[in-house]
Amino acid sequence: MRVMSILMVVCVLAVGVSWGAGEDVTRPGDPVIGQPDNNRWPAGEAPQYAIDDNVNTKYLHFRDGQVAGIIISPQLGTGQSQPTLVQGITLTTANDAPGRDPHSYELFGSNADVNGPWTLISQGPVVDFIGGWPRFTKNETPIIFDNQTEYLHYRLMFPTLGGDSLFQIAEIELLAPPENGWPAAVMISPAETVVDVADPTVEINIEIDDFDSTSWDVLWTQVSGPAAVDLDDVQDQTTVELTLPAVRGTYVLRALVTDSEGNESNPVETTVRVWDAELDNKMVGYWTFNEGEGTFIDDSADDVNRGYMGNYHNDPDLDPNFVEGWIPADGENNYALHFQDFGYVQVIPDANSVSDPNLQNLDYGVSV
């Protein structure tokens, strides 16, 4: 049970990459057309606000069950549509309602006019927005693709959203390739794992996606851990087998990929927990949800780690609430917790009650 808690809260984001210096070819005032083009948006949240370089405005489309998006005709400040080479996209979340965020995209290009015909350039997930992303925040996981054709007009559509019937976005950027090309997109696996202190060996793999480079240097470093890890023999390798020190605790290792043009990826990290079954196999938290009232959840395990209820709409009426439970052994205090839209329970361990340094400064939570 303790292993699950550790993996939920200690693991480090394992995918990330530098955006390089790709230039946004859109400008405030470039011609845009909402999709569908039916004026189903508030006057102050019209399509032009998606490219106004202001995250405090947004483009909102009511959709009415259709796929929403936008047509953009970059002019590069000339007053006429200009051929542009686009190989990347950035998206910035708007002020509220994560359910309206796009979870996938389709980008098309046309050299005829804004009515097409359209050629599919790229499609795929908006990785960062899936599962929730901070408000007013640009995606970090790159959306980059191998397109070698310049187009006058671009049609960007968002087939799937976060569950809401409305679509919204604060900012859209269409990126031209940097002069020296793009950094590599790197993924690492496993993002987190647990090994036994009796045999603390782990295999780590990185995958490199880089359509404009064919050679890379890989720098492995140790970010943290209770003992030093020998990384001398794994430099420049994409698949490494490491034997960690037989010292229990959490180790964070990092890989940085540099391509032949000197472009660096964002570092990717993996977290490895060296586990001692005799010392670590115990319960660290037990919440029965039997309070029956209030907004706090008490811990019945040895460590007193109290949880509190809330919701991402910041509306007290949408906080989780207690309902009649179904465990007879609980007797009179037989309750369950009912979650509404975007409700959560957050648990911050009591630093005074956590004796194991590997469990300090952690943050537990469940949301529905």
Side-chain angles (χ1 to χ4, degrees):
M1 187 166 184
R2 190 175 186 178
V3 177
M4 294 179 61
S5 298
I6 291 169
L7 294 183
M8 288 172 62
V9 298
V10 179
C11 64
V12 179
L13 180 67
V15 179
V17 88
S18 168
W19 279 102
E23 178 189 0
D24 180 17
V25 302
T26 73
R27 304 286 188 276
D30 281 351
V32 298
I33 303 173
Q35 296 290 284
D37 184 17
N38 54 9
N39 206 37
R40 289 286 288 141
W41 47 76
E45 298 174 349
Q48 63 263 28
Y49 293 110
I51 61 166
D52 66 348
D53 294 338
N54 182 357
V55 299
N56 296 302
T57 61
K58 68 181 178 182
Y59 163 38
L60 182 146
H61 202 300
F62 290 108
R63 292 204 311 149
D64 303 315
Q66 302 180 72
V67 175
I70 191 171
I71 294 174
I72 305 173
S73 302
Q75 296 186 340
L76 303 180
T78 66
Q80 297 182 11
S81 298
Q82 298 295 313
T84 55
L85 179 63
V86 170
Q87 292 184 347
I89 301 169
T90 72
L91 303 169
T92 301
T93 55
N95 62 313
D96 61 1
R100 301 173 184 173
D101 294 345
H103 281 195
S104 64
Y105 76 94
E106 295 175 343
L107 180 66
F108 304 84
S110 175
N111 281 319
D113 58 35
V114 295
N115 296 312
W118 296 100
T119 299
L120 178 65
I121 300 171
S122 177
Q123 61 184 344
V126 184
V127 174
D128 292 333
F129 292 2
I130 298 173
W133 194 244
R135 303 296 84 198
F136 306 106
T137 304
K138 185 183 297 185
N139 59 299
E140 292 181 356
T141 302
I143 303 173
I144 298 174
F145 35 84
D146 186 8
N147 169 47
Q148 302 299 329
T149 303
E150 295 182 337
Y151 290 100
L152 292 168
H153 313 282
Y154 292 91
R155 186 172 188 250
L156 181 59
M157 304 299 290
F158 301 101
T160 58
L161 309 179
D164 205 306
S165 61
L166 281 63
F167 158 77
Q168 68 179 23
I169 199 74
E171 283 296 309
I172 295 171
E173 294 179 328
L174 303 180
L175 302 180
E179 182 178 351
N180 292 328
W182 299 100
V186 183
M187 298 197 326
I188 192 168
S189 62
E192 70 283 328
T193 191
V194 176
V195 295
D196 195 284
V197 70
D199 181 21
T201 301
V202 61
E203 183 176 285
I204 306 170
N205 297 280
I206 61 171
E207 295 182 12
I208 301 174
D209 184 7
D210 190 354
F211 62 81
D212 58 8
S213 187
T214 57
S215 63
W216 308 270
D217 295 325
V218 182
L219 175 65
W220 289 93
T221 57
Q222 180 177 353
V223 178
S224 61
V229 180
D230 184 2
L231 298 171
D232 290 344
D233 294 335
V234 302
Q235 299 302 325
D236 288 326
Q237 296 183 26
T238 57
T239 298
V240 301
E241 184 174 293
L242 288 172
T243 299
L244 276 64
V247 180
R248 61 187 286 265
T250 301
Y251 296 78
V252 179
L253 306 176
R254 174 180 293 170
L256 178 69
V257 175
T258 305
D259 68 18
S260 56
E261 298 296 327
N263 298 310
E264 291 185 350
S265 71
N266 277 356
V268 291
E269 297 180 354
T270 183
T271 298
V272 183
R273 168 75 172 174
V274 176
W275 172 267
D276 188 325
E278 292 185 5
L279 297 175
D280 296 327
N281 189 19
K282 69 174 185 177
M283 181 185 298
V284 297
Y286 178 39
W287 298 274
T288 63
F289 302 145
N290 281 334
E291 285 74 12
E293 61 182 3
T295 58
F296 291 96
I297 306 297
D298 289 325
D299 180 9
S300 299
D302 293 339
D303 292 332
V304 183
N305 305 308
R306 171 173 275 199
Y308 63 91
M309 297 184 285
N311 69 89
Y312 292 108
H313 293 298
N314 294 318
D315 181 352
D317 292 336
L318 295 178
D319 286 352
N321 61 286
F322 294 97
V323 297
E324 184 178 351
W326 51 86
I327 304 177
D330 284 347
E332 295 182 359
N333 297 321
N334 188 0
Y335 294 98
L337 203 58
H338 172 245
F339 287 85
Q340 303 184 72
D341 187 25
F342 291 101
Y344 63 77
V345 173
Q346 196 75 21
V347 179
I348 300 177
D350 180 0
N352 295 321
S353 68
V354 178
S355 57
D356 185 344
N358 293 295
L359 297 178
Q360 292 180 358
N361 301 317
L362 303 184
D363 196 7
Y364 306 78
V366 58
S367 60
V368 177

